[in-house]
Amino acid sequence: MTREWVCVLDFGSQYTRLIAKAIRAQEVYCEVAPPTLSAREVQERAPSALVLSGGPRSVYEPGAPRLDPKILELGIPVLGICYGMQLLAHLLGGRVERSPHKAEYGVAEIEIAEDDPLFAGLGKRERVWMSHGDVITKLPPGFRALAHSVGEGSAPPLLAAMRDEAGRVYGVQFHPEVHHTPHGPQMLHNWLRRICGLRERWRPGDLVGQRVEELRERLEGKRALIAVSGGVDSSVAAVLVHRAIGERLVPVFVDTGLLRKGESERVQGVFERLGLPLHVVDAREEFFGKLRGITDPEAKRKAIGETFIRVFEREARRLEQEEPLDVLVQGTIYSDVIESGGAGTASHAEVIKSHHNVGGLPEKLGFELVEPLRDLFKDEVRELGRALGLPEEIVDEQPFPGPGLAVRILGEVTPEKVALLQEADAILREEVRRAGLHREIWQYFAVLLPVRSVAVRGDGRGYGYVVALRAVHSRDGMTADWYKLPHDVLARISSRITNEVPEVTRVVYDITSKPPGTIEWE
Ligand code: XMP
């Protein structure tokens, strides 16, 4: 198990988790902890270095989150970022004030005044991301300025980086952890390797041993249940917990009938091969029954969410008859957890976005909830999945909505329409893969429209279904660009769909980016 690690004390910044991620990307293990830790607690946890995060408050406000000043006497290297830097200045005898000029938000340029290991390998001027209204107007005794932001017009330069004499305490006013600071990774590398002298190389796969150990302890003597969807998050959570408690984990797979072609069998096969056979609940008829006659997209989502809870709860109760169950495992990951943020809320209150497929389960079932991936980002979860031996087909799977094909069939969902869409979608996927583009395109799928369009077949005229093809590029699903599929690939897809799925007589390509068009059609 790794010994070197960095502890980020969270003063409530929206970027705190990004700091942890950026440090882990430098192959140093990192965890986030509350700022209320005492010096003794920090000493017990024995981090190799500490980061004080940003935060929405002003250090001179009453009630603003503080740091046990004895922590600074432990001899552990410290990096304060934004609020963290101001807190250092405040605690160590400097002065922090509201900026007399305008606050700095957004991209700024800093001028590096001094050769320092923190900026090794960088130029004299660097682009950084700023987000603060307070400034340090007097350095604490023994500190020196390393960089200033380049003021606009007559605005004076503001302190952008400082360090103490021994090089143990550093502060930066900007955010090296966000991608708007292009050389942020280099600065963090410099701090971790050159300044803190960390040597070990941590990989996300190392988390396996650590988390398995923690789960084994936490779940001792308990039986757990998990709903596996075939997506990467629930699959990784299931395999991880299985590694810890073996057959005391009961994985349940609810077949809603709304998955892509062959998906249900594929997921079952993968888990079979992993030595973790799934309890399959065939609830297709129940789902189609509940969806009958519903055309409103939100009503469809609601019906699916409620049906899922009912089916899963029934199965849980049935399994409980065999042996008691104590814990519900969920594959919640960090992007599912929305920080409440905002002024006055540096309380780390976090709210879970309700997943359409599993929302409401924990309350309903009354089990203890365990979320072993809650602090990880998607790419870290994928890496963990690889280290656990999950196949690429699961680890690299494109996003798929909880309510499944129901959001890709506009209007009423029927088994016949699902079967049509599954065929058209399978053709699209096959052709994208054949063209070698499947790794390049973030998400691609077919949509069945609720209109009929005129068609000629032989000598006759008729009305057939319209299928829309959607393929997008995206980083995180928040914004997306439509993908320029080559014309010959589009031609093959169109020709195959209209030949192999005769009910479909027209194929169109969606050339809308997000915003304004969402990725799914709903
Ligand atoms: P939109 O359509 O809002 O989708 O642009 C953004 C991303 O989210 C996926 N999506 C969902 N994922 N449960 C999920 O887990 C859902 O209910 C859901 N709805 C949309 C969508 O596929 C896209 O990647």
Side-chain angles (χ1 to χ4, degrees), residues 2 44 55 62 81 139 199 211 233 267 303 311 316 344 362 434 449 453 487:
T2 181
E44 278 167 8
I81 295 177
L139 282 165
R199 291 282 161 265
R211 299 254 152 141
D233 306 341
V267 173
V311 170
R434 184 175 301 173
L449 303 192
S453 167
H487 285 181

Side-chain angles (χ1 to χ4, degrees), residues 289-308:
K290 294 291 173 195
L291 285 167
R292 194 168 300 133
I294 303 183
T295 54
D296 176 68
E298 274 307 309
K300 280 198 268 183
R301 278 182 175 271
K302 194 155 173 274
I304 292 167
E306 285 170 1
T307 309
F308 187 91

Side-chain angles (χ1 to χ4, degrees), residues 356-388:
H356 289 279
N357 41 356
V358 289
L361 276 179
E363 307 89 82
K364 268 268 189 192
L365 291 166
F367 293 149
E368 179 188 341
L369 181 64
V370 169
E371 297 170 308
L373 312 177
R374 202 180 149 81
D375 60 332
L376 300 181
F377 285 81
K378 195 75 169 191
D379 43 356
E380 296 178 314
V381 174
R382 292 190 204 278
E383 192 83 31
L384 188 60
R386 270 184 212 107
L388 282 163

Side-chain angles (χ1 to χ4, degrees), residues 173-477:
Q173 185 57 71
F174 54 88
H175 291 272
E177 70 276 18
V178 305
H179 73 265
H180 306 287
T181 301
H183 292 137
Q186 177 70 39
M187 296 175 199
L188 288 173
H189 168 89
N190 289 342
W191 180 67
L192 294 163
R193 303 292 179 191
R194 289 169 185 260
I195 296 167
C196 303
L198 303 185
R199 291 282 161 265
E200 290 172 15
R201 300 256 162 215
W202 175 87
R203 307 277 307 142
D206 297 347
L207 266 183
V208 171
Q210 206 174 319
R211 299 254 152 141
V212 163
E213 205 47 52
E214 285 165 15
L215 285 166
R216 208 169 269 157
E217 228 168 82
R218 177 157 182 202
L219 300 177
E220 199 183 337
K222 293 181 176 167
R223 282 182 87 234
L225 189 67
I226 185 168
V228 170
S229 68
V232 59
D233 306 341
S234 63
S235 299
V236 171
V239 175
L240 190 66
V241 175
H242 182 253
R243 186 80 56 103
I245 65 167
E247 284 172 9
R248 282 188 284 126
L249 175 72
V250 186
V252 172
F253 176 76
V254 176
D255 188 349
T256 60
L258 300 168
L259 294 182
R260 286 165 294 186
K261 186 183 176 187
E263 196 71 356
S264 168
E265 298 76 16
R266 193 176 65 84
V267 173
Q268 292 176 48
V270 165
F271 276 83
E272 192 79 44
R273 286 192 289 283
L274 287 166
L276 185 58
L278 302 172
H279 283 259
V280 180
V281 187
D282 181 354
R284 289 176 293 180
E285 272 188 30
E286 194 164 341
F287 276 89
F288 285 125
K290 294 291 173 195
L291 285 167
R292 194 168 300 133
I294 303 183
T295 54
D296 176 68
E298 274 307 309
K300 280 198 268 183
R301 278 182 175 271
K302 194 155 173 274
I304 292 167
E306 285 170 1
T307 309
F308 187 91
I309 290 174
R310 202 169 35 251
V311 170
F312 189 76
E313 193 184 7
R314 202 165 57 219
E315 185 63 10
R317 298 287 170 238
R318 195 187 67 73
L319 290 164
E320 248 190 328
Q321 302 283 306
E322 296 172 11
E323 256 185 285
L325 290 159
D326 316 279
V327 168
L328 178 73
V329 178
Q330 274 192 344
T332 318
I333 69 168
Y334 189 65
S335 51
D336 304 326
V337 176
I338 302 162
E339 300 229 349
S340 58
T345 55
S347 59
H348 326 286
E350 290 171 337
V351 189
I352 298 192
K353 179 180 76 178
S354 63
H355 268 237
H356 289 279
N357 41 356
V358 289
L361 276 179
E363 307 89 82
K364 268 268 189 192
L365 291 166
F367 293 149
E368 179 188 341
L369 181 64
V370 169
E371 297 170 308
L373 312 177
R374 202 180 149 81
D375 60 332
L376 300 181
F377 285 81
K378 195 75 169 191
D379 43 356
E380 296 178 314
V381 174
R382 292 190 204 278
E383 192 83 31
L384 188 60
R386 270 184 212 107
L388 282 163
L390 275 159
E392 288 296 311
E393 55 184 305
I394 293 232
V395 170
D396 270 342
E397 190 47 282
Q398 53 175 313
F400 186 71
L405 297 182
V407 299
R408 296 177 182 171
I409 293 172
L410 277 68
E412 189 188 6
V413 178
T414 63
E416 297 72 34
K417 286 187 189 168
V418 169
L420 285 184
L421 181 60
Q422 281 179 330
E423 291 304 324
D425 186 67
I427 292 168
L428 165 69
R429 287 199 289 151
E430 238 174 81
E431 291 300 332
V432 167
R433 184 170 277 273
R434 184 175 301 173
L437 297 170
H438 56 291
R439 284 189 200 286
E440 194 177 316
I441 310 177
W442 200 73
Q443 199 172 4
Y444 50 95
F445 52 86
V447 181
L448 190 66
L449 303 192
V451 287
R452 300 294 183 102
S453 167
V454 70
V456 282
R457 278 254 154 82
D459 291 333
R461 278 165 81 84
Y463 288 87
Y465 281 105
V466 182
V467 159
L469 308 176
R470 181 89 165 127
V472 294
H473 244 332
S474 177
R475 274 171 81 98
D476 51 16

Side-chain angles (χ1 to χ4, degrees), residues 82 85-86 89 94-96 104 110-111 113 130 132 134-140 143-150 156-163 171-174:
C82 197
M85 177 194 192
Q86 293 164 2
R95 194 184 312 122
V96 181
E104 282 187 301
I110 59 165
E111 193 161 308
M130 292 284 190
H132 65 111
D134 290 342
V135 289
I136 297 174
T137 49
K138 186 175 134 240
L139 282 165
F143 273 73
R144 58 179 193 264
L146 300 177
H148 288 92
S149 57
V150 181
L158 301 175
L159 184 67
M162 66 176 194
R163 61 168 275 194
V172 290
Q173 185 57 71
F174 54 88

